Amino acid sequence: MDAPHAATRDPFASAAASLGAAPWDDERIRTHVAPLFSRHRAAHAGRAYLANHSLGRPLDATADDVREGLDAWYAAMGDAWDAWEAEMNAHRGRLAALRGAPRADTVIPKASAGQGLRAVLGSYDRPPRVVSTRGEFDSIDVILREWARRGRLELALVEPRSPAAGATGEGALPRFDAADLLAAIVPGTDLVVVSEVMFETGERLVALPDVVAHAHARGAKVLVDVYHSLGAIPVDVAASGVDFAVGGSYKYLRGGPGACFLYVAPRWLDAGLRTLDIGWFAKEHRFAYRRPEPPAFAAGGDAWLESTPAVLAPFQARAGQRFALALGVGRLREDSLARQAALVRGLAELGVPAVGGTPSRGAFVVVPFLGQPEGFAGRVADRLSARGVVTDARGPFLR
């Protein structure tokens, strides 16, 4: 099959070919991308959705993909596992491609990023010494703090630096200085847990390679939360050298809740690193129902699988993954930066200070309301929603 003919049969490849080089003007978006989201657009006509950093828009194809998973159940009953496992493997392969992972078995499907973190914590035979930041998303933060409270790990949290008085632009936001994070990673540290993009402020950890190198030199592993970067910023876990990564399809991969993952670097899988957080799908011969002592586990990343998986999640996530792969995360990033910068300029003309649109930021614009009463940013988001503009707020930041 030649490439042009293949593109006409694949709506995502066709859209990507028609769009050309990024950034894309509004007319090309309306012509080639908007039709892929017709169901969402019909349901939200007259509203501006500016919250893909929270819950990504579903593609039209998502409904058909989920129906395919259900149809296998209706048609084959117990034999539907053949189709379900094939899609699970394809799901892992697409996520590996999106993250620059060298092979699909490094991707372990999870229902949440928190499950991935717990699996990593379960790979230590004694309470690990963990370094993290005060900027991690609530699920990661609450797991770390509760495990520490119950003596299951030792936790050191790096605080953000407060903005200088009178600072503008990015300087008006609290930030995590790489020097503070490096100083906290000392000999004896076992694990560093940090986000590539901070969920409240959009700050990007551009010093990630330095953090990884520093941690490895002191015998520590690094887990990176890529939930706010995957699909919006090129992610290359192999090049960065990270040991683990967690994330999901809820945001920029437009795959909804429940389609999350843990990445484990091949060097650890090949060395036989194991976790306690497993189930019967991690067995070497899962459908043989043999029970050798000790248990015999599957090879590579399959030894990190849990019990019976959520079989529809890979179907649910398929369209968003194919969309990102077809358009290319690099081109999506270029277009995102241009649109963020335009929004920041437009807000500035209205006297509203905002931050975004630079390589040191993630994929959303932030309007800070530091010094305002608690909940003020949320009330602004509610007022905007009443006017047909969908945003959200985290703490004192409108996103």
Side-chain angles (χ1 to χ4, degrees):
M1 181 182 296
D2 58 39
H5 183 55
T8 60
R9 298 189 61 182
D10 182 340
F12 308 122
S14 179
S18 299
L19 281 170
W24 305 301
D25 59 48
D26 290 346
E27 182 58 33
R28 280 189 287 173
I29 293 292
R30 279 193 292 268
T31 301
H32 304 297
V33 177
L36 302 174
F37 296 89
S38 66
R39 291 185 62 173
H40 165 84
R41 294 174 64 237
H44 298 274
R47 294 176 67 79
Y49 190 78
L50 302 181
N52 279 303
H53 56 272
S54 181
L55 176 59
R57 294 179 182 89
L59 288 139
D60 292 355
T62 300
D64 294 329
D65 291 341
V66 173
R67 189 176 299 110
E68 179 183 327
L70 287 172
D71 285 346
W73 184 8
Y74 283 114
M77 294 302 291
D79 291 335
W81 276 107
D82 293 338
W84 289 340
E85 288 205 75
E87 187 58 32
M88 181 71 76
N89 290 333
H91 170 71
R92 296 169 78 182
R94 290 189 297 266
L95 284 171
L98 283 163
R99 290 185 305 190
R103 61 194 213 212
D105 78 305
T106 61
V107 177
I108 294 92
K110 297 289 180 182
S112 68
Q115 275 191 330
L117 171 61
R118 287 194 295 271
V120 171
L121 295 176
S123 69
Y124 292 91
D125 291 327
R126 56 167 176 76
R129 287 159 288 192
V130 180
V131 170
S132 190
T133 79
R134 291 284 185 187
E136 304 311 306
F137 184 67
D138 286 19
S139 64
I140 301 300
D141 173 77
V142 74
I143 290 170
L144 291 176
R145 289 190 295 110
E146 183 63 8
W147 277 52
R149 189 186 69 81
R150 298 183 64 171
R152 303 299 178 90
L153 58 82
E154 298 176 27
L155 182 62
L157 292 174
V158 175
E159 304 287 346
R161 294 194 180 186
S162 299
T168 59
E170 294 185 25
L173 298 178
R175 67 184 181 88
F176 290 91
D177 194 291
D180 298 336
L181 186 56
L182 296 177
I185 304 169
V186 298
T189 300
D190 294 304
L191 180 66
V192 179
V193 179
V194 67
S195 291
E196 185 171 19
V197 175
M198 297 298 176
F199 81 99
E200 282 191 313
T201 64
E203 177 187 1
R204 186 181 176 196
L205 183 61
V206 294
L208 179 60
D210 297 332
V211 171
V212 173
H214 183 85
H216 286 174
R218 283 147 186 81
K221 300 184 181 79
V222 178
L223 182 152
V224 178
D225 185 345
V226 298
Y227 224 132
H228 267 290
S229 51
L230 191 65
I233 298 173
V235 173
D236 191 329
V237 290
S240 70
V242 301
D243 304 279
F244 310 103
V246 294
S249 298
Y250 192 82
K251 304 178 189 297
Y252 304 108
L253 290 182
R254 305 162 185 84
C260 297
F261 54 82
L262 164 68
Y263 161 81
V264 181
R267 61 184 176 277
W268 293 117
L269 297 178
D270 296 342
L273 184 68
R274 297 286 186 263
T275 176
L276 292 175
D277 195 13
I278 54 164
W280 71 290
F281 265 61
K283 292 173 58 177
E284 184 178 16
H285 302 292
R286 66 181 66 132
F287 292 112
Y289 305 106
R290 294 192 294 267
R291 298 182 179 181
E293 187 61 43
F297 294 107
D302 287 1
W304 286 62
L305 295 175
E306 298 184 32
S307 297
T308 310
V311 295
L312 294 183
F315 292 93
Q316 171 188 310
R318 178 204 285 170
Q321 293 167 350
R322 291 179 58 214
F323 178 87
L325 287 167
L327 270 66
V329 177
R331 291 201 302 171
L332 289 165
R333 173 64 168 168
E334 184 179 352
D335 184 71
S336 171
L337 288 175
R339 292 179 183 277
Q340 288 183 67
L343 179 56
V344 169
R345 289 193 300 269
L347 290 170
E349 292 172 0
L350 298 173
V352 179
V355 178
T358 67
S360 63
R361 315 304 299 176
F364 58 90
V365 168
V366 171
V367 178
F369 290 104
L370 297 167
Q372 296 292 337
E374 184 177 356
F376 185 85
R379 291 192 290 275
V380 173
D382 291 341
R383 293 284 297 274
L384 288 170
S385 180
R387 298 186 180 192
V389 179
V390 180
T391 63
D392 69 4
R394 296 292 181 267
F397 306 105
L398 181 74
R399 308 188 304 173

